[in-house]
Amino acid sequence: MAEPLSTDVLILGGGIAGLWLNARLRQQGFSTLLVESASLGGAQSVKSQGIIHGGAKYALHGALTGASEAIADMPRRWREAVAGTGELDLSGVRLLSPAHYLWSPGSLFGNVTSFFASKAMRGRVDPVSGSELPPALQHPKFKGKVYRLAELVLDVPSVIARLAELGGDSLVAAREVEPLREGEALVGLRLDGREVRAQRIVLSAGAGNEDLLQRLGIRQPAMQRRPLHMVMVKAPGLKPLYAHCLGGGPKPRVTVTSHPAADGQWVWYLGGDLAEADGVARNEAEQIAAAEQELRQLLPWIDFTGAQWATLRVDRAEPAQSGLVRPDNAFLAEAGNLLVGWPTKLALAPDFADRVLACLARDGIQPGEHAPLPPLPRPPFAQPAWEALLG
């Protein structure tokens, strides 16, 4: 039987939230083990659009909300990390775009225009035109208005790779997870039969938290899923575009991000309202038809000849909220030695780590003495969905 191990903090879930937390803990001298049952970033992280939101899209109805204020500092923290001057050194991570954009196809801005010009949004939103426009919008037929948001777009696979590098030898692949108890107290976990003791256990496995909580016999916190039906298109004529297109409602009509495929072409990854409730109800063929119609209407000069299309269903996993609303912050709940959390969105991974570190500090958890780790099986990296679906 495999020898028992011990560590300070045992993290379950190798998405960006778990990987970021793992790197922060190690930086502060803690011994950690991060456990992943499938692939690093494979459940939700690698399927995200890579936008580090600063909350501007939550102000589309012309007012700041709790969500926009809570998330406002995230672009700065990520930008500093990518520059190598932040709380983690993410230099080397591929920056897809230093800004995200907001575009109105016509005169839709209305009262939002004056709000974006207000003191509340100063430094977060700037109007752009001419050569400052995103390449895909630099066309004589483009008649809309465009604002540049102080948000960045990252290549998520390179973020995962860098955070994994910062994790050193602490990443371990394990499929079977069982509780290890002394009396009523949870003192660790059995990972594929091997006992691992820890001062604290953190669940950061996104949708996987639901199954893990069941295995541990814990009913709260409950989880909700908010499904999306994303669309991807790859075509030789596509130019990079990172933008929310305004519709009439509080959510972007469509959100476009562009990602480099292995064959050198660009893939447009489409979310926003297109991917929400109506999109979830459509089958793949219907959703592709809806996306194609939207793009031809909004960007009629773009050539989609020879385009490849595919869709991807993604569940956003979050703490249960009344009415399935979107949570405003990263979430963390405590049950004895167990911490259970969801960052609720990619941008809030640093906020999630802050909350865990605050709990450890409050409880006086200090780095302990642990034997060196033996060689352990490492989890693989997730592949971007477009490589599998668009060939």
Side-chain angles (χ1 to χ4, degrees):
M1 184 167 160
E3 63 182 292
L5 302 176
S6 71
T7 191
D8 293 319
V9 183
L10 191 49
I11 301 167
L12 274 73
I16 280 177
L19 288 165
W20 184 290
L21 171 63
N22 189 49
R24 288 281 312 274
L25 288 167
R26 287 170 61 83
Q27 182 190 60
Q28 298 194 15
F30 287 99
S31 163
T32 62
L33 266 184
L34 180 146
V35 183
E36 172 53 52
S37 63
S39 58
L40 295 171
Q44 238 179 292
S45 294
V46 85
K47 296 169 187 167
S48 85
Q49 292 188 283
I51 306 162
I52 305 302
H53 286 298
K57 79 165 185 176
Y58 303 133
L60 294 187
H61 48 55
L64 288 173
T65 65
S68 55
E69 286 302 276
I71 205 170
D73 198 35
M74 291 301 137
R76 177 192 64 80
R77 290 177 67 175
W78 280 89
R79 206 179 291 278
E80 288 175 0
V82 171
T85 60
E87 60 218 66
L88 292 176
D89 180 3
L90 300 189
S91 52
V93 162
R94 182 170 183 177
L95 181 66
L96 292 176
S97 178
H100 198 66
Y101 294 82
L102 198 57
W103 111 81
S104 156
S107 56
L108 259 175
F109 267 103
N111 67 334
V112 175
T113 306
S114 55
F115 172 65
F116 280 165
S118 72
K119 239 189 323 195
M121 299 301 283
R122 199 163 291 161
R124 287 160 70 172
V125 183
D126 299 299
V128 294
S129 58
S131 61
E132 290 186 315
L133 290 172
L137 302 182
Q138 290 184 21
H139 193 277
K141 288 184 182 170
F142 178 70
K143 295 289 187 274
K145 285 188 173 172
V146 179
Y147 286 81
R148 182 174 51 228
L149 307 178
E151 303 179 348
L152 55 162
V153 188
L154 299 178
D155 177 55
V156 173
S158 72
V159 177
I160 293 166
R162 176 58 182 151
L163 289 173
E165 190 182 344
L166 294 175
D169 64 356
S170 67
L171 311 183
V172 57
R175 291 199 167 277
E176 287 302 316
V177 175
E178 300 162 289
L180 181 63
R181 298 188 191 279
E182 280 182 0
E184 292 295 301
L186 185 68
V187 295
L189 298 171
R190 279 192 191 83
L191 306 176
D192 289 345
R194 185 199 290 266
E195 289 190 5
V196 182
R197 291 174 175 262
Q199 298 190 67
R200 289 290 183 273
I201 297 158
V202 182
L203 303 192
S204 64
N209 280 358
E210 194 170 50
D211 176 56
L212 289 166
L213 287 167
Q214 280 181 342
R215 290 186 192 206
L216 298 174
I218 294 170
R219 296 191 174 180
Q220 291 293 333
M223 193 185 89
Q224 70 183 29
R225 285 177 166 85
R226 287 194 304 129
L228 292 172
H229 195 183
M230 305 289 287
V231 180
M232 53 193 84
V233 55
K234 181 164 77 169
L238 291 185
K239 293 176 179 174
L241 179 59
Y242 302 92
H244 301 300
C245 176
L246 279 186
K251 287 183 178 172
R253 180 170 167 181
V254 64
T255 295
V256 184
T257 51
S258 308
H259 305 265
D263 62 5
Q265 292 186 41
W266 287 99
V267 174
W268 279 10
Y269 193 31
L270 312 175
D273 213 33
L274 171 76
E276 299 271 355
D278 290 347
V280 171
R282 297 183 192 113
N283 65 30
E284 183 177 27
E286 292 165 344
Q287 180 69 338
I288 288 171
E292 197 167 357
Q293 184 181 354
E294 276 285 71
L295 292 179
R296 288 190 192 284
Q297 190 179 345
L298 294 169
L299 306 163
W301 56 89
I302 302 281
D303 182 8
F304 288 101
T305 307
Q308 291 175 270
W309 298 81
T311 70
L312 180 68
R313 291 188 183 272
V314 183
D315 276 339
R316 290 164 295 185
E318 302 162 341
Q321 310 282 300
S322 60
L324 275 186
V325 295
R326 168 183 43 76
D328 283 347
N329 299 305
F331 172 90
L332 193 68
E334 301 174 65
N337 294 335
L338 184 70
L339 303 174
V340 185
W342 290 268
T344 72
K345 62 189 332 84
L346 172 74
L348 286 164
D351 182 44
F352 175 73
D354 289 350
R355 289 163 191 268
V356 174
L357 288 161
C359 281
L360 299 183
R362 183 202 64 206
D363 294 346
I365 303 292
Q366 298 286 332
E369 293 292 322
H370 305 278
L373 294 172
L376 296 167
R378 279 179 74 87
F381 289 102
Q383 285 298 305
W386 41 88
E387 298 300 348
L389 293 172
L390 295 176

